Amino acid sequence: MDKPSDRQSAVRLLACIVAGGREPEPGKWDQDVVSILDGQARLQALDFWMRYPDYLANELLNAYEETGLKETFDTAKRIFDD
């Protein structure tokens, strides 16, 4: 497998920040701020799950066993099916 380019890595990290972050406070940040993600560990976890979705699906199945929420099971199933 080829090593991802810097551009691919940047897009992947931006997607993680947008998906896992919160909206910036109006008027506090420059208009170019897309999202705010507190914590490097959270970004690293999101990045890992994006690169290795089977681990994310496993975590979703663990959550399903604890909560019984069908949405988590359905999401895990879609990940495995894709």
Side-chain angles (χ1 to χ4, degrees):
M1 182 183 267
D2 293 333
K3 182 181 174 197
S5 69
D6 289 344
R7 177 172 278 178
Q8 289 170 317
S9 296
V11 169
R12 186 182 69 248
L13 290 174
L14 180 59
C16 290
I17 291 169
V18 170
R22 59 183 166 81
E23 289 193 27
E25 297 173 33
K28 184 173 182 183
W29 299 99
D30 185 282
Q31 62 189 9
D32 292 334
V33 174
V34 176
S35 184
I36 297 172
L37 183 72
D38 297 313
Q40 182 178 354
R42 181 170 170 84
L43 176 60
Q44 289 173 339
L46 292 168
D47 179 50
F48 178 82
W49 287 336
M50 185 175 269
R51 288 182 289 128
Y52 305 103
D54 51 328
Y55 285 95
L56 173 58
N58 186 57
E59 287 297 318
L60 291 169
L61 290 175
N62 291 338
Y64 172 71
E65 289 176 352
E66 290 178 16
T67 65
L69 290 173
K70 188 170 179 341
E71 295 87 13
T72 56
F73 179 82
D74 292 342
T75 302
K77 183 176 182 327
R78 279 197 316 271
I79 290 170
F80 284 130
D81 288 346
D82 288 344

